[in-house]
Amino acid sequence: MIVYEFPAIALRARGRAQRLQLSIAATHSQARYALPQVVQEFRQHYPQVRLHLHQGSPKQVAQMLLSGEADLGVATEALAGYEGLVTLPCYRWTHSVVLPPGHPLLQHELPLTLQDLAAFPIITYEQGYTGRAHIDEAFEREGLAPDVVLTAMDADVIKTYVELGMGVGIVASVALDPERDLHLHALDAGHLFEVNVTRLGLRRGAWLRGYAYDFMQRFVPTLTREVIAQTLQGKAPAV
């Protein structure tokens, strides 16, 4: 039976106090925009559990899971390609275009097209990050070769250089912050690029403590302990 409440300080193993901990590997976008609320709620409910939040590329997230350095992984790309991992869908999201004040595209009649975007320098994610593959695929299908003048791992960096007037930004819609982005304008690009799916990755056959299951369900309410346990045991199909 899994018990979700623990003593306030420690477990004892081999005569020495062992601090409870949970290690999470995530890409920059997930750590910055998707996880803060669930981390805050988890800490309030489990103050005795020490959280370790590792950031890296999707490939690095996968490697941390496979090596056992991380218990859980959160990323949009790459996790599903590893035999030693199982993945579960978390949420779907789209991209948005961000523009500085006075940009010509703000006067353009909607809907925005890929041809419109390709007429300007573009600032977006590095290869392998935050749906970049879907951005490239969309332009390729139209036979367009956009001028990507700057790439970064983090949406805040992308938006900083958009504010400087260096180009048109393409970022995850979840990365838009009304308070931080007062000087930027956002246009929906959900019709231009394929929908992305953020996934939760686990090492195949991993044993997890009860509070790890609780963290995952707080992040995605449909991921109950039973669903996750069955997937880890190969009794339910991973997606």
Side-chain angles (χ1 to χ4, degrees):
M1 178 179 69
I2 297 297
V3 180
Y4 287 91
E5 298 292 339
F6 294 87
I9 302 298
L11 288 178
R12 292 193 177 274
R14 298 181 182 178
R16 295 193 301 176
Q18 299 294 313
R19 188 72 183 262
L20 299 173
Q21 64 179 17
L22 180 64
S23 294
I24 302 160
T27 57
H28 295 270
S29 293
Q30 302 302 327
R32 169 67 176 83
Y33 298 105
L35 289 175
Q37 183 175 350
V38 67
V39 166
Q40 182 182 43
E41 292 177 356
F42 181 86
R43 281 290 302 151
Q44 290 171 349
H45 199 71
Y46 298 101
Q48 74 281 12
V49 178
R50 178 176 295 168
L51 282 172
H52 299 276
L53 184 57
H54 308 278
Q55 295 183 57
S57 68
K59 182 178 179 180
Q60 289 170 328
V61 170
Q63 292 299 331
M64 283 187 274
L65 287 170
L66 291 168
S67 69
E69 182 179 356
D71 302 304
L72 316 175
V74 184
T76 296
E77 300 174 271
L79 292 185
Y82 291 82
E83 180 64 27
L85 302 179
V86 294
T87 65
L88 295 153
C90 297
Y91 64 92
R92 296 159 62 88
W93 57 271
T94 59
H95 287 99
S96 290
V97 171
V98 288
L99 305 165
H103 194 279
L105 284 179
L106 293 174
Q107 310 302 321
H108 192 277
E109 292 186 7
L110 297 180
L112 191 68
T113 68
L114 291 172
Q115 287 80 6
D116 296 331
L117 290 181
F120 298 92
I122 289 176
I123 305 172
T124 191
Y125 298 102
E126 289 187 8
Q127 295 285 350
Y129 281 82
T130 321
R132 171 62 190 274
H134 289 165
I135 295 172
D136 293 341
E137 289 164 2
F139 283 112
E140 288 172 6
R141 283 194 298 268
E142 295 296 317
L144 299 171
D147 182 18
V148 179
V149 296
L150 181 65
T151 62
M153 296 182 292
D154 188 281
D156 285 344
V157 175
I158 294 170
K159 291 183 287 186
T160 294
Y161 288 96
V162 171
E163 288 177 323
L164 293 175
M166 289 182 58
V168 172
I170 303 175
V171 301
S173 295
V174 295
L176 297 174
D177 185 336
E179 294 183 1
R180 181 248 182 262
D181 301 330
L182 291 174
H183 303 297
L184 291 175
H185 297 271
L187 301 178
D188 177 54
H191 62 293
L192 298 179
F193 309 113
E194 188 177 338
V195 173
N196 301 275
V197 179
T198 290
R199 297 180 181 276
L200 179 71
L202 301 165
R203 190 169 62 259
R204 192 176 297 277
W207 180 85
L208 299 171
R209 295 188 182 277
Y211 55 76
Y213 287 103
D214 191 37
F215 183 95
M216 289 183 279
Q217 190 167 6
R218 288 174 184 273
F219 185 42
V220 185
T222 57
L223 295 182
T224 64
R225 179 184 180 278
E226 291 71 25
V227 168
I228 298 167
Q230 288 178 2
T231 301
L232 286 174
Q233 295 168 12
K235 298 178 180 179
V239 293

